[in-house]
């Protein structure tokens, strides 16, 4: 066995033993059911661990991650996670979390050829072009940081335009969507103040409204 993998397995055993020493019922409670209030949609970056950043134990945060925290409407993986979190787990808050210093954002901004991930980042390049007048006067690092924020806000809008979220709101479910950016330099989260929690906040162009049965007034 690889020494690196062996080390991970040893660390796992040590962690398990320590957790059981600190709280003998921890794993028994954890194995019964997950009832998280939060869904975290974040970047795959290894420096952005969801539970640690918001100081919550296992079982408290449902997590989906991908390169540059992008929500494509044809991404069945992400949509399945969101549907399960909203309709089955009944989460009350979904946080879309970007982070300053994101490699995916910087790749989209620089325009370098990155292989297959270029297809994934195409919408982010479009977003950069859309905001070129705001971004181009800034130094490159500030451009990247601002694009991180713009990306998160765009993904909040994308999420709110899904039928999954809008149906939840239409049936009166308590659900709020939030946009955050995490700083690698100090470990703090910035709320981008783009939260939404009502169907009537969505632009009419993207509104989903139930079709009344034939004969209804």
């Amino acid at each position: 066995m690889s020494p690196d993998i062996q080390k991970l397995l040893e660390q796992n055993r040590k962690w398990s033993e320590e957790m059981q020493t600190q709280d003998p019922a921890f794993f028994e409670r954890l194995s019964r059911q997950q009832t998280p209030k939060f869904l975290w949609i974040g970047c795959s970056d290894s420096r952005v661990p969801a539970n640690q950043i918001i100081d919550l134990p296992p079982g408290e945060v449902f997590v989906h991650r991908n390169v540059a925290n992008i929500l494509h409407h044809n991404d069945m993986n992400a949509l399945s996670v969101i549907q399960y979190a909203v309709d089955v787990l009944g989460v009350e808050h979904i946080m879309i979390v970007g982070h300053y210093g994101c490699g995916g954002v910087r790749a989209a901004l620089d325009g370098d050829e990155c292989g297959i991930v270029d297809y994934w980042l195409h919408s982010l390049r479009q977003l950069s072009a859309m905001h070129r007048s705001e971004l181009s006067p800034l130094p490159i690092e500030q451009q990247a940081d601002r694009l991180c924020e713009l990306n998160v806000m765009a993904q909040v809008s994308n999420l709110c335009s899904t039928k999954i979220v809008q149906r939840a709101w239409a049936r009166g479910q308590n659900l709020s969507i939030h946009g955050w950016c995490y700083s690698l330099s100090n470990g703090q989260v910035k709320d981008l103040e783009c939260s939404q929690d009502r169907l009537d906040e969505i632009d009419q162009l993207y509104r989903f409204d139930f079709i009344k049965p034939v004969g209804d007034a």
Side-chain angles (χ1 to χ4, degrees):
M1 182 183 294
S2 162
D4 290 338
I5 298 302
Q6 182 64 43
K7 181 180 179 181
L8 293 182
L9 293 173
E10 290 173 357
Q11 289 175 179
N12 167 253
R13 283 191 287 270
K14 181 180 179 181
W15 171 78
S16 173
E17 292 168 359
E18 290 176 350
M19 291 301 296
Q20 292 179 77
T21 299
Q22 296 169 14
D23 183 356
F26 175 78
F27 289 108
E28 181 183 351
R29 287 197 311 274
L30 196 62
S31 64
R32 288 177 192 158
Q33 185 179 2
Q34 61 169 342
T35 55
K37 290 184 178 180
F38 310 100
L39 167 60
W40 173 292
I41 300 176
C43 183
S44 299
D45 194 300
S46 61
R47 300 168 294 176
V48 191
N51 286 71
Q52 286 181 266
I53 289 172
I54 49 180
D55 194 25
L56 288 178
E60 298 297 323
V61 188
F62 203 54
V63 178
H64 176 75
R65 298 169 71 173
N66 61 50
V67 176
N69 44 273
I70 295 173
L71 177 62
H72 292 300
H73 284 177
N74 61 353
D75 180 359
M76 297 306 295
N77 185 357
L79 293 177
S80 297
V81 169
I82 294 163
Q83 188 272 328
Y84 186 82
V86 172
D87 294 346
V88 180
L89 297 178
V91 297
E92 298 177 11
H93 301 275
I94 301 178
M95 300 88 73
I96 297 182
V97 188
H99 67 97
Y100 301 117
C102 178
V105 170
R106 186 59 184 262
L109 194 61
D110 291 344
D112 295 336
E113 200 281 324
C114 300
I116 197 168
V117 75
D118 286 336
Y119 295 101
W120 181 259
L121 296 175
H122 181 69
S123 64
L124 189 48
R125 289 195 169 102
Q126 290 179 313
L127 186 68
S128 174
M130 187 186 308
H131 293 274
R132 184 175 291 117
S133 61
E134 176 187 354
L135 296 173
S136 58
L138 302 174
I140 188 62
E141 294 301 326
Q142 291 182 29
Q143 288 186 42
D145 286 350
R146 181 55 180 160
L147 186 55
C148 283
E149 296 176 347
L150 292 169
N151 180 44
V152 168
M153 290 186 282
Q155 305 318 315
V156 167
S157 179
N158 284 344
L159 178 54
C160 291
S161 69
T162 63
K163 291 181 179 180
I164 299 166
V165 169
Q166 293 192 22
R167 281 176 172 152
W169 284 335
R171 63 177 176 257
Q173 186 168 335
N174 183 25
L175 178 65
S176 299
I177 315 299
H178 312 278
W180 293 355
C181 264
Y182 172 70
S183 173
L184 296 171
S185 62
N186 61 21
Q188 294 184 6
V189 167
K190 177 180 179 180
D191 183 355
L192 299 180
E193 300 182 357
C194 57
S195 298
Q196 298 193 48
D197 58 12
R198 299 194 314 274
L199 187 57
D200 60 12
E201 293 179 328
I202 307 305
D203 189 293
Q204 189 64 40
L205 179 64
Y206 304 107
R207 279 280 297 272
F208 167 78
D209 292 307
F210 289 107
I211 299 174
K212 295 180 179 180
V214 175
D216 278 13

